mmCIF file of all heavy atoms in Angstrom:
data_model
loop_
_atom_site.group_PDB
_atom_site.id
_atom_site.type_symbol
_atom_site.label_atom_id
_atom_site.label_comp_id
_atom_site.label_asym_id
_atom_site.label_seq_id
_atom_site.Cartn_x
_atom_site.Cartn_y
_atom_site.Cartn_z
ATOM 1 N N ARG A 207 274.947 104.404 -48.853
ATOM 2 C CA ARG A 207 274.875 102.970 -49.174
ATOM 3 C C ARG A 207 274.968 102.171 -47.948
ATOM 4 O O ARG A 207 274.203 101.173 -47.686
ATOM 5 C CB ARG A 207 275.981 102.628 -50.135
ATOM 6 C CG ARG A 207 275.940 101.204 -50.673
ATOM 7 C CD ARG A 207 276.979 100.881 -51.618
ATOM 8 N NE ARG A 207 278.300 100.892 -51.125
ATOM 9 C CZ ARG A 207 278.920 99.702 -50.609
ATOM 10 N NH1 ARG A 207 278.220 98.595 -50.592
ATOM 11 N NH2 ARG A 207 280.166 99.745 -50.105
ATOM 12 N N HIS A 208 275.848 102.524 -46.969
ATOM 13 C CA HIS A 208 276.021 101.829 -45.764
ATOM 14 C C HIS A 208 274.777 101.898 -44.849
ATOM 15 O O HIS A 208 274.329 100.972 -44.208
ATOM 16 C CB HIS A 208 277.204 102.353 -45.023
ATOM 17 C CG HIS A 208 278.538 101.948 -45.564
ATOM 18 N ND1 HIS A 208 279.596 101.507 -44.789
ATOM 19 C CD2 HIS A 208 278.924 101.897 -46.911
ATOM 20 C CE1 HIS A 208 280.581 101.167 -45.589
ATOM 21 N NE2 HIS A 208 280.213 101.428 -46.876
ATOM 22 N N GLU A 209 274.119 103.062 -44.810
ATOM 23 C CA GLU A 209 272.915 103.235 -44.106
ATOM 24 C C GLU A 209 271.821 102.305 -44.690
ATOM 25 O O GLU A 209 271.025 101.753 -43.906
ATOM 26 C CB GLU A 209 272.458 104.642 -44.159
ATOM 27 C CG GLU A 209 273.256 105.688 -43.395
ATOM 28 C CD GLU A 209 272.625 107.003 -43.261
ATOM 29 O OE1 GLU A 209 272.786 107.733 -44.311
ATOM 30 O OE2 GLU A 209 271.968 107.339 -42.326
ATOM 31 N N ARG A 210 271.717 102.167 -45.943
ATOM 32 C CA ARG A 210 270.777 101.226 -46.523
ATOM 33 C C ARG A 210 271.046 99.763 -46.138
ATOM 34 O O ARG A 210 270.083 98.987 -46.060
ATOM 35 C CB ARG A 210 270.767 101.447 -48.021
ATOM 36 C CG ARG A 210 270.191 102.676 -48.522
ATOM 37 C CD ARG A 210 269.875 102.667 -50.054
ATOM 38 N NE ARG A 210 271.109 102.470 -50.893
ATOM 39 C CZ ARG A 210 271.862 103.515 -51.251
ATOM 40 N NH1 ARG A 210 271.512 104.734 -50.983
ATOM 41 N NH2 ARG A 210 272.903 103.322 -51.984
ATOM 42 N N LEU A 211 272.227 99.471 -45.804
ATOM 43 C CA LEU A 211 272.570 98.152 -45.399
ATOM 44 C C LEU A 211 272.512 97.963 -43.922
ATOM 45 O O LEU A 211 272.726 96.848 -43.413
ATOM 46 C CB LEU A 211 274.094 97.819 -45.811
ATOM 47 C CG LEU A 211 274.366 97.795 -47.332
ATOM 48 C CD1 LEU A 211 275.849 97.680 -47.629
ATOM 49 C CD2 LEU A 211 273.513 96.612 -47.966
ATOM 50 N N GLY A 212 272.092 98.988 -43.250
ATOM 51 C CA GLY A 212 271.845 98.850 -41.730
ATOM 52 C C GLY A 212 272.805 99.626 -40.829
ATOM 53 O O GLY A 212 272.682 99.524 -39.612
ATOM 54 N N ALA A 213 273.732 100.436 -41.354
ATOM 55 C CA ALA A 213 274.627 101.283 -40.550
ATOM 56 C C ALA A 213 273.921 102.513 -40.028
ATOM 57 O O ALA A 213 272.914 102.907 -40.607
ATOM 58 C CB ALA A 213 275.920 101.659 -41.246
ATOM 59 N N ARG A 214 274.441 103.164 -39.046
ATOM 60 C CA ARG A 214 273.995 104.445 -38.509
ATOM 61 C C ARG A 214 275.116 105.527 -38.534
ATOM 62 O O ARG A 214 276.300 105.133 -38.192
ATOM 63 C CB ARG A 214 273.511 104.304 -37.078
ATOM 64 C CG ARG A 214 272.292 103.502 -36.791
ATOM 65 C CD ARG A 214 271.884 103.491 -35.375
ATOM 66 N NE ARG A 214 272.914 102.743 -34.566
ATOM 67 C CZ ARG A 214 273.654 103.387 -33.564
ATOM 68 N NH1 ARG A 214 273.558 104.685 -33.411
ATOM 69 N NH2 ARG A 214 274.562 102.758 -32.917
ATOM 70 N N VAL A 215 274.807 106.622 -39.089
ATOM 71 C CA VAL A 215 275.805 107.683 -39.004
ATOM 72 C C VAL A 215 275.898 108.298 -37.667
ATOM 73 O O VAL A 215 274.884 108.718 -37.054
ATOM 74 C CB VAL A 215 275.485 108.811 -40.144
ATOM 75 C CG1 VAL A 215 276.395 110.041 -39.995
ATOM 76 C CG2 VAL A 215 275.578 108.290 -41.463
ATOM 77 N N LEU A 216 277.166 108.484 -37.061
ATOM 78 C CA LEU A 216 277.343 108.931 -35.753
ATOM 79 C C LEU A 216 277.778 110.436 -35.823
ATOM 80 O O LEU A 216 277.442 111.206 -34.971
ATOM 81 C CB LEU A 216 278.355 108.113 -35.027
ATOM 82 C CG LEU A 216 277.941 106.683 -34.802
ATOM 83 C CD1 LEU A 216 279.084 105.954 -33.954
ATOM 84 C CD2 LEU A 216 276.644 106.517 -34.037
ATOM 85 N N SER A 217 278.661 110.747 -36.830
ATOM 86 C CA SER A 217 279.126 112.125 -36.987
ATOM 87 C C SER A 217 279.732 112.214 -38.362
ATOM 88 O O SER A 217 280.154 111.357 -38.996
ATOM 89 C CB SER A 217 280.120 112.418 -35.873
ATOM 90 O OG SER A 217 281.388 111.777 -36.047
ATOM 91 N N VAL A 218 279.647 113.550 -38.798
ATOM 92 C CA VAL A 218 280.180 113.936 -40.094
ATOM 93 C C VAL A 218 281.341 114.930 -39.893
ATOM 94 O O VAL A 218 281.015 116.033 -39.269
ATOM 95 C CB VAL A 218 279.163 114.362 -41.101
ATOM 96 C CG1 VAL A 218 279.799 114.773 -42.377
ATOM 97 C CG2 VAL A 218 278.066 113.371 -41.288
ATOM 98 N N ASN A 219 282.540 114.736 -40.288
ATOM 99 C CA ASN A 219 283.653 115.549 -40.098
ATOM 100 C C ASN A 219 284.239 116.060 -41.507
ATOM 101 O O ASN A 219 283.663 115.716 -42.453
ATOM 102 C CB ASN A 219 284.688 114.864 -39.277
ATOM 103 C CG ASN A 219 284.269 114.259 -37.954
ATOM 104 O OD1 ASN A 219 284.036 115.043 -36.987
ATOM 105 N ND2 ASN A 219 283.748 113.032 -37.983
ATOM 106 N N GLU A 220 285.272 116.860 -41.360
ATOM 107 C CA GLU A 220 285.801 117.443 -42.597
ATOM 108 C C GLU A 220 286.188 116.412 -43.613
ATOM 109 O O GLU A 220 285.889 116.588 -44.876
ATOM 110 C CB GLU A 220 286.974 118.334 -42.302
ATOM 111 C CG GLU A 220 287.500 119.055 -43.493
ATOM 112 C CD GLU A 220 288.694 119.945 -43.258
ATOM 113 O OE1 GLU A 220 289.178 119.954 -42.083
ATOM 114 O OE2 GLU A 220 289.239 120.653 -44.112
ATOM 115 N N HIS A 221 286.902 115.352 -43.294
ATOM 116 C CA HIS A 221 287.417 114.352 -44.230
ATOM 117 C C HIS A 221 286.918 112.998 -44.013
ATOM 118 O O HIS A 221 287.349 111.963 -44.652
ATOM 119 C CB HIS A 221 288.965 114.351 -44.265
ATOM 120 C CG HIS A 221 289.567 115.638 -44.842
ATOM 121 N ND1 HIS A 221 289.223 116.133 -46.129
ATOM 122 C CD2 HIS A 221 290.328 116.564 -44.293
ATOM 123 C CE1 HIS A 221 289.888 117.209 -46.362
ATOM 124 N NE2 HIS A 221 290.516 117.528 -45.252
ATOM 125 N N TRP A 222 286.071 112.806 -42.872
ATOM 126 C CA TRP A 222 285.640 111.356 -42.671
ATOM 127 C C TRP A 222 284.219 111.489 -41.990
ATOM 128 O O TRP A 222 283.865 112.433 -41.315
ATOM 129 C CB TRP A 222 286.624 110.647 -41.720
ATOM 130 C CG TRP A 222 286.788 111.160 -40.317
ATOM 131 C CD1 TRP A 222 286.033 110.787 -39.216
ATOM 132 C CD2 TRP A 222 287.698 112.171 -39.880
ATOM 133 N NE1 TRP A 222 286.515 111.436 -38.103
ATOM 134 C CE2 TRP A 222 287.500 112.303 -38.479
ATOM 135 C CE3 TRP A 222 288.677 112.936 -40.412
ATOM 136 C CZ2 TRP A 222 288.267 113.156 -37.656
ATOM 137 C CZ3 TRP A 222 289.399 113.848 -39.745
ATOM 138 C CH2 TRP A 222 289.203 113.938 -38.297
ATOM 139 N N THR A 223 283.504 110.353 -42.122
ATOM 140 C CA THR A 223 282.235 110.132 -41.504
ATOM 141 C C THR A 223 282.244 108.912 -40.652
ATOM 142 O O THR A 223 282.847 107.866 -40.984
ATOM 143 C CB THR A 223 281.133 109.929 -42.522
ATOM 144 O OG1 THR A 223 281.071 111.143 -43.433
ATOM 145 C CG2 THR A 223 279.720 109.658 -41.840
ATOM 146 N N VAL A 224 281.863 109.093 -39.375
ATOM 147 C CA VAL A 224 281.852 107.946 -38.300
ATOM 148 C C VAL A 224 280.524 107.310 -38.438
ATOM 149 O O VAL A 224 279.495 107.993 -38.275
ATOM 150 C CB VAL A 224 282.232 108.472 -36.960
ATOM 151 C CG1 VAL A 224 282.287 107.361 -36.027
ATOM 152 C CG2 VAL A 224 283.556 109.277 -36.919
ATOM 153 N N LEU A 225 280.523 106.030 -38.521
ATOM 154 C CA LEU A 225 279.265 105.174 -38.579
ATOM 155 C C LEU A 225 279.384 104.020 -37.525
ATOM 156 O O LEU A 225 280.464 103.774 -37.084
ATOM 157 C CB LEU A 225 279.049 104.657 -39.974
ATOM 158 C CG LEU A 225 278.878 105.560 -41.080
ATOM 159 C CD1 LEU A 225 280.227 105.692 -41.798
ATOM 160 C CD2 LEU A 225 277.856 105.062 -42.004
ATOM 161 N N ALA A 226 278.270 103.465 -37.151
ATOM 162 C CA ALA A 226 278.290 102.260 -36.403
ATOM 163 C C ALA A 226 277.569 101.167 -37.286
ATOM 164 O O ALA A 226 276.560 101.477 -37.838
ATOM 165 C CB ALA A 226 277.383 102.503 -35.141
ATOM 166 N N ASP A 227 278.154 100.013 -37.295
ATOM 167 C CA ASP A 227 277.627 98.830 -38.038
ATOM 168 C C ASP A 227 276.398 98.321 -37.318
ATOM 169 O O ASP A 227 276.117 98.824 -36.135
ATOM 170 C CB ASP A 227 278.681 97.879 -38.382
ATOM 171 C CG ASP A 227 279.099 97.014 -37.102
ATOM 172 O OD1 ASP A 227 278.507 97.183 -36.095
ATOM 173 O OD2 ASP A 227 280.213 96.460 -37.172
ATOM 174 N N PRO A 228 275.747 97.415 -37.857
ATOM 175 C CA PRO A 228 274.488 96.938 -37.120
ATOM 176 C C PRO A 228 274.679 96.366 -35.723
ATOM 177 O O PRO A 228 273.808 96.250 -34.945
ATOM 178 C CB PRO A 228 273.945 95.835 -38.103
ATOM 179 C CG PRO A 228 274.391 96.242 -39.449
ATOM 180 C CD PRO A 228 275.791 96.822 -39.174
ATOM 181 N N ALA A 229 275.884 95.932 -35.483
ATOM 182 C CA ALA A 229 276.303 95.439 -34.136
ATOM 183 C C ALA A 229 276.702 96.541 -33.174
ATOM 184 O O ALA A 229 276.943 96.305 -32.047
ATOM 185 C CB ALA A 229 277.374 94.297 -34.261
ATOM 186 N N GLY A 230 276.734 97.770 -33.660
ATOM 187 C CA GLY A 230 277.161 98.904 -32.807
ATOM 188 C C GLY A 230 278.666 99.235 -32.843
ATOM 189 O O GLY A 230 278.989 100.215 -32.179
ATOM 190 N N SER A 231 279.450 98.549 -33.583
ATOM 191 C CA SER A 231 280.909 98.905 -33.701
ATOM 192 C C SER A 231 281.066 100.100 -34.524
ATOM 193 O O SER A 231 280.633 100.087 -35.672
ATOM 194 C CB SER A 231 281.687 97.657 -34.131
ATOM 195 O OG SER A 231 281.477 96.571 -33.218
ATOM 196 N N ALA A 232 282.015 101.007 -34.184
ATOM 197 C CA ALA A 232 282.256 102.242 -34.897
ATOM 198 C C ALA A 232 283.306 101.918 -35.937
ATOM 199 O O ALA A 232 284.129 101.092 -35.773
ATOM 200 C CB ALA A 232 282.751 103.328 -34.002
ATOM 201 N N TYR A 233 283.162 102.617 -37.130
ATOM 202 C CA TYR A 233 284.136 102.612 -38.218
ATOM 203 C C TYR A 233 283.993 103.918 -38.991
ATOM 204 O O TYR A 233 283.091 104.754 -38.736
ATOM 205 C CB TYR A 233 283.993 101.460 -39.099
ATOM 206 C CG TYR A 233 282.661 101.370 -39.938
ATOM 207 C CD1 TYR A 233 282.624 101.750 -41.227
ATOM 208 C CD2 TYR A 233 281.480 101.002 -39.404
ATOM 209 C CE1 TYR A 233 281.536 101.837 -41.992
ATOM 210 C CE2 TYR A 233 280.305 101.011 -40.072
ATOM 211 C CZ TYR A 233 280.266 101.422 -41.415
ATOM 212 O OH TYR A 233 279.186 101.412 -42.175
ATOM 213 N N CYS A 234 284.908 104.199 -39.892
ATOM 214 C CA CYS A 234 284.924 105.410 -40.663
ATOM 215 C C CYS A 234 284.876 105.167 -42.071
ATOM 216 O O CYS A 234 285.589 104.322 -42.605
ATOM 217 C CB CYS A 234 286.095 106.273 -40.197
ATOM 218 S SG CYS A 234 286.104 106.776 -38.544
ATOM 219 N N ILE A 235 284.204 106.131 -42.887
ATOM 220 C CA ILE A 235 284.402 106.250 -44.294
ATOM 221 C C ILE A 235 285.095 107.588 -44.470
ATOM 222 O O ILE A 235 284.755 108.585 -43.998
ATOM 223 C CB ILE A 235 283.000 106.286 -45.027
ATOM 224 C CG1 ILE A 235 282.266 105.012 -44.762
ATOM 225 C CG2 ILE A 235 283.208 106.554 -46.494
ATOM 226 C CD1 ILE A 235 280.839 105.025 -45.266
ATOM 227 N N THR A 236 286.166 107.526 -45.281
ATOM 228 C CA THR A 236 286.972 108.703 -45.540
ATOM 229 C C THR A 236 286.994 109.227 -46.940
ATOM 230 O O THR A 236 286.558 108.459 -47.895
ATOM 231 C CB THR A 236 288.460 108.425 -45.052
ATOM 232 O OG1 THR A 236 289.097 107.714 -46.078
ATOM 233 C CG2 THR A 236 288.555 107.706 -43.709
#
Side-chain angles (χ1 to χ4, degrees):
R207 184 175 73 88
H208 287 223
E209 287 187 281
R210 292 192 295 271
L211 294 173
R214 293 181 294 113
V215 171
L216 301 181
S217 66
V218 179
N219 303 280
E220 183 180 3
H221 292 299
W222 69 90
T223 298
V224 183
L225 301 94
D227 68 16
S231 297
Y233 67 99
C234 296
I235 299 172
T236 77

